[in-house]
Amino acid sequence: RLYSMDVSEDRLERGKPRCKKAGVSNVQRQVVQEDMTRKDKWLKRRKCTFDRVLVDAPCSGVGSWRRKPDARRTFGTFDDGFDDGTDRLANLLPLQQQILQRASRLVKVGGRLVYVTCSLLPEENEKQIIQFLESDVGAEWKVESPPSDFAIPFEVDGQFLRLTPAQHNTDGFFAAVLTKHG
């Protein structure tokens, strides 16, 4: 069974056509509690029950600038004025960490957690994983090295996947695979 979880029912609905196009029909959609300081009963009942969890973290979207060049100009634009994007990033970083920690609780021992962004910023990527691993929750996790025959070269000491427009002729992406050792 495949679960799609989000705090936004609208985003879950927008995913339906993508699943249909991909031929995926076994997806259960679940809206989860947005306020992470409150308990979510659905998530609590599923603690340590998932084999795999994919976190497609909300991010700055810096990796998509090749395809969406106008996003560069709007990165720091807000309703109340303009900044250099640091406010947006300052809000995203703790949210990414909270989502990562929350999702990790769903994975059973021996299971995997995959963290991905469409960002090239280390603050949203490697630094998030390092911060997670140094936390109490992250102590039972290890970053998995890619298989030796993996087609795309991994970067940053061979632990993380980083696709870049310059090297791979695609949008920028980051991925880390972690295994829970309990």
Side-chain angles (χ1 to χ4, degrees), residues 111-124:
R112 290 193 173 160
L113 175 64
V114 180
Y115 175 83
V116 300
T117 70
C118 60
S119 174
L120 297 172
L121 301 176
E123 296 88 348
E124 295 185 276

Side-chain angles (χ1 to χ4, degrees), residues 1 42 93 97 134-135 164 170:
R1 185 174 301 177
W42 189 89
L93 296 177
Q97 192 60 218
E134 291 174 348
S135 72
T164 66
T170 183

